[in-house]
Amino acid sequence: MPKSFLIDTSRCTACRGCQIACKEWHELPANKTTQYGWGSHQNPQDLNANNYKLVRFSEHLEDGVVRWNFFPDQCRHCVEPPCRDMADMVQEGAIVRDDKTGAVLFTEKTAMFSPEQFEEVRQACPYNIPRRNDATGMMHKCTMCNERIHGGMLPACVKVCPTGTMQFGERDEMLQLARTRLKRLKRDWPNAMLADPEDVNVIYLLTDKPENYHEYSVASNTFGPMSKKQFFAALARPFRAMKA
Amino acid sequence: MGSNAAEHHPISFKWVLQAKDKGATVMHVDPKFSRTSARSDFHVPLRSGTDIAFLGGMIKYILDNELFFKEYVVEYTNASLIVGKDYGFEDGLFSGYDAKTRSYDKSKWGFELDADGVPKRDKSLKHPRCVYQLMKKHYSRYGIDAVSSTTGVSAENLLKVYKEFAATGRADKAGTIMYALGWTQHTVGVQNIRSAGIIQLLLGNIGVAGGGINALRGEPNVQGSTDHTLLYHIIPGYMAMPNNEWQTYDDYVKANTPVSNDPMSANWWQHKPKYFASLLKAWFGENATPENGFCYEYLPKIEKGEDYSYMYLFDRMYENKIRGGIIIGLNPMNSVPNSNKVRKALDNLDWLVTSELHHSETTDNWKRPGVDPKTVKTEVFLLPSAHRLEKEGSVTNSGRWLLWHYKAIEPAFEAKPFGDMFVGFMKRVQELYRKEGGTLPEAVLKLDYPDRYDPEELCAKINGRFTKDTVVKGKKYRKGQLVPSFTALADDGSTSSLNWLYAGSYTEEDGNKAKRRSTSQTPMQANIGLFPKWAWCWPVNRRILYNRASVDLNGKPYNPEKAVIEWKDGKWVGDVPDGGWPPMATGKGRYPFIMSKHGFGQIYGPGRQDGPFSEHYEPVETPVARNMFSKQLNSPVYKYVSSEMDKLSAPADPNYPIVLTTYSLTEHWCGGGETRNIPNLLEAEPQLYVEMSPELAEEKGIANGDGVIVESVRGRVEAIAMVTVRMRPLRVHGRIIHEIGMPFCFGWTTPGTGDATNRLTPSVGDPNTTIPEYKACCVNVRKADRLTELAT
């Protein structure tokens, strides 16, 4: 049974402890950011090769009531990761899954991917997670702090979270916790939902409509009727199964 | 209210969320919709500087609807005390006002005493001059319409908050208020908090589990540094700073030791001479004797009535009256109001000692933009300071817990903790006086000062020691051993203690209790989340102050489900009781509010500079021309300095129609001097912004992300517009008033991030504390043609 995260956005205060801890643990350099032409607390503006974790801020006014949603975005560590399936078609072993933890990992072999091949992988991800370091060519995203987990520690983002937004543990325990929290939150938030709990190991609990958090907060949100991603994912799966 | 806890005290908010899990309603009343608002049940925006109007309305609501906790109010607060005939309040002014000195004669506000000198009471609360009736009359003016029109909060929202909070007036309910600088940083800052005190006393929410008024202190260790006297007006343990009217030890003790003639009042400060004598013993050691007044006469004495807070210090510096000084742990060139003035003032120094982790706007003021360093005469010393992680010591949290923090790594290069520096300074000064003499060398040479800074030893000295063999409760202590508690302190020179409140924190029996990390507790303690063996709490490890107000006259908890203490089988169980006397009903008890002279919670507070009740006054810079509650527009006693650079805009000045409030950020610490140098934090919050409503932005032709100029009568600041629905236009005095908000953490030493927001704010302060009014001033905003302070 793999490990899972529960990200309970109803508790998130967007303190960004997770975002900073991720950078510190992975020793990632800071990007030059600006408010000019941007004017938002969401910095950096998007995930990038130096930010595997990004708290997204989304605000709207609804009948005179302000809603400000926080979405600590990261790789979902899919149960059947389409990025790996896609990558396998280029170079097997470039993207791997640690079956013990469920961590989906980009290896150094991703450096062999051309920008176009990287784009294919990125397109395969329903959550728009993979990013590329243009200097090294390597692909980057959340590592689940896999080495920390093997060392008996929590992922850095979970360790620093002061509010209980970031939870981590055995998948069945996290699913259980997610359902309990969901039931509780449904009382006040009838729209509350779990984002793709069956397909991912990073389960988001949302209280508002998914599109009020982020374009890619749930997979179904971004899917057309047979999108390119779906197409490639469908294409890749039997291919990979055949090779296995 | 008055706090953005989720952003500025993120750990405190963990507990708020847990309370919410258990069904608590969390309401956020604040000008800006912040990350705190996002996690609250609802947010209510109000205009900065109108909290007393808001809270005054709540007091009226509680009284009109009789939602207060009657027994608590009658027995434990001063609501039943009768005020003397000289008290009065007319059109915004309390009796005793002297317009010439801008001050009150507080003797006009005293209680009426009986023949024994005990305050007269009317427990029926009917006497026309009892506090209850005076309060009722005072706040009768705070009707919903006037409050709504002043604050900009709709009647519906006002009632929603009032109803919800007043519901905690029941014995089985508790309500708490978390506040921080959003309340203190006003010319009516203390009275904002007094208003909350009145509400919490009316609702019986002081001394109970889940109650209180929680002043949120933070990473700068405000609690610890205040206890140990970072401020000029007190000496350690909240005793008054000696002034020129108290020339001798006896003068001081006589003037500062309150006397109560009521046998039911514990009047705890009657013990002050013991704490004061022990403090002098700790300062002057063997040199301090009862015969020489424990060397009291060597202490420096301030001029009575003079103000030495930083607003005035920088004004004197500006007037060329100060030659040099030490600025440590502060970046005033960024964090003090009217930065243009204070930056100029600093140029007048001959010498300046600073100590920082990084260069700051203060250490590098001599080469700030627009200034030729050759024209600045100041010799600046910058000492490399150790980081928090490079030193050990104690911090005291918002709940008064003394917690040890350990050194993680050795300081880099020649960096040293401040303690090492201060000991070094003093040793050299002593050496110079020893060699060269000077005026009153004894004041320096007779100090019992350590040769080396040792935080453990210092904590032991703070706790205090016996200076001769002593027996306490049958136990023998030898000379030099640690005192077990402040009850062992004496005024005959037999004990020393650097801070009586901390006596008991470091004992022969248990060592340094700041290091305790045991979670053991009794079931009764577990029920309300008390961990008495985790660290240590002043005073005497009492976790909830005034906890005897949580029980009835027989010592039974008002809320048995959440009992804090209980009188059981002839003794108190639960938390450490606020005094061990038996319950009041036995006739041998004491009133629970032991730190106040008469023993009562002070709904009526005759000790403050600006009145015994709170009263709404407009901020000194206000967008309105009149006060709906009286003819007195601003506080009649607010403090100000008046150099030619200390300009103020007129009330409702059309050139500055917008209210500005300023604040911190989660990502940056205070003035940002440390955190702007941490790349990952700067990545998350890179530049000075100004949050404004889409309505205001449209009016001004400003788009999100545009560079703008914000101007007050004192200065101008560049910022990037953050156009957000989280700032709402407010309907005030029948028209729309806009409020904008800016952080103050950015400065020119971090290029392209912006420069001091405080170039906009005024040097006006609260009459009790002189804290400046950072939270409300008047400005205008326009789109910038070009930007020079911000990278684009």
Side-chain angles (χ1 to χ4, degrees), chain B residues 241-403:
Chain B
M241 177 69 191
N243 70 42
N244 57 333
E245 289 193 356
W246 309 325
Q247 287 294 331
T248 67
Y249 174 80
D250 290 337
D251 292 343
Y252 182 94
V253 164
K254 193 167 171 232
N256 286 286
T257 313
V259 176
S260 166
N261 294 323
D262 187 346
M264 299 289 275
S265 175
N267 181 27
W268 197 264
W269 277 118
Q270 66 175 294
H271 302 293
K272 197 178 284 179
K274 300 170 191 169
Y275 311 148
F276 186 54
S278 297
L279 174 63
L280 291 170
K281 276 297 284 179
W283 275 343
F284 292 100
E286 296 288 317
N287 295 316
T289 63
E291 293 72 33
N292 66 14
F294 303 106
C295 294
Y296 170 82
E297 288 168 36
Y298 295 135
L299 291 183
K301 292 167 192 70
I302 57 176
E303 301 293 314
K304 190 181 162 71
E306 196 53 86
D307 195 315
Y308 299 83
S309 56
Y310 62 63
M311 205 169 89
Y312 285 86
L313 284 183
F314 282 108
D315 190 54
R316 278 174 211 134
M317 209 181 284
Y318 184 79
E319 302 293 341
N320 250 315
K321 291 175 182 161
I322 293 177
R323 282 166 50 205
I326 302 172
I327 298 179
I328 282 184
L330 190 73
N331 184 10
M333 298 305 109
N334 220 35
S335 58
V336 167
N338 202 0
S339 316
N340 287 328
K341 176 193 170 190
V342 299
R343 288 174 175 188
K344 214 157 168 259
L346 204 68
D347 291 343
N348 289 338
L349 295 183
D350 294 337
W351 59 275
L352 171 67
V353 177
T354 61
S355 174
E356 291 294 335
L357 295 169
H358 306 278
H359 288 255
S360 73
E361 286 68 36
T362 303
T363 65
D364 290 12
N365 188 58
W366 55 276
K367 55 172 180 175
R368 67 188 181 276
V371 166
D372 177 2
K374 288 196 203 89
T375 66
V376 179
K377 63 176 176 177
T378 319
E379 184 177 9
V380 182
F381 301 87
L382 171 55
L383 309 177
S385 146
H387 188 269
R388 281 184 305 289
L389 300 176
E390 295 170 335
K391 55 192 179 186
E392 65 172 346
S394 76
V395 285
T396 307
N397 75 7
S398 303
R400 310 179 315 284
W401 300 7
L402 179 71
L403 292 139

Side-chain angles (χ1 to χ4, degrees), chain A residues 9-16 19-20 23-24 28-44 48 50-51 57 59-61 64-70 160 162-165 181 184 188-189 207, chain B residues 6-7 10-11 13-14 17-18 20-23 32-35 38-39 41 43 665-667 678-689 691 695 704-707 720-726 728 751 787 791-792:
Chain A
T9 62
S10 77
R11 308 187 78 79
C12 181
T13 58
C15 73
R16 294 195 268 205
Q19 179 179 322
I20 304 294
K23 292 200 75 135
E24 295 287 334
L28 296 168
N31 299 285
K32 182 108 188 103
T33 53
T34 181
Q35 290 290 9
Y36 187 67
W38 177 240
S40 166
H41 291 290
Q42 183 179 309
N43 291 297
N48 60 73
N50 296 327
N51 288 79
F57 293 67
E59 62 189 40
H60 59 283
L61 196 60
V65 177
V66 182
R67 297 265 176 250
W68 201 11
N69 294 324
F70 311 128
V160 300
T163 62
T165 303
R181 283 293 297 164
R184 171 71 222 271
D188 298 326
W189 305 95
T207 54
Chain B
E7 296 193 31
I11 305 304
F13 214 72
K14 168 183 181 170
L17 287 171
Q18 290 192 9
K20 211 170 157 218
D21 288 343
K22 291 184 175 174
K32 175 184 73 165
F33 188 102
S34 66
R35 293 179 244 186
R39 290 284 77 86
D41 285 275
H43 168 247
L665 279 176
T666 309
E667 293 77 5
I678 298 173
N680 288 343
L681 293 174
L682 195 63
E683 175 191 75
E685 284 292 358
Q687 279 181 318
L688 182 56
Y689 56 81
E691 293 179 295
E695 290 83 352
N704 188 45
D706 277 353
I720 304 294
M722 192 180 281
V723 179
T724 170
V725 294
R726 294 178 294 99
R728 310 301 309 139
L787 295 173
T792 54

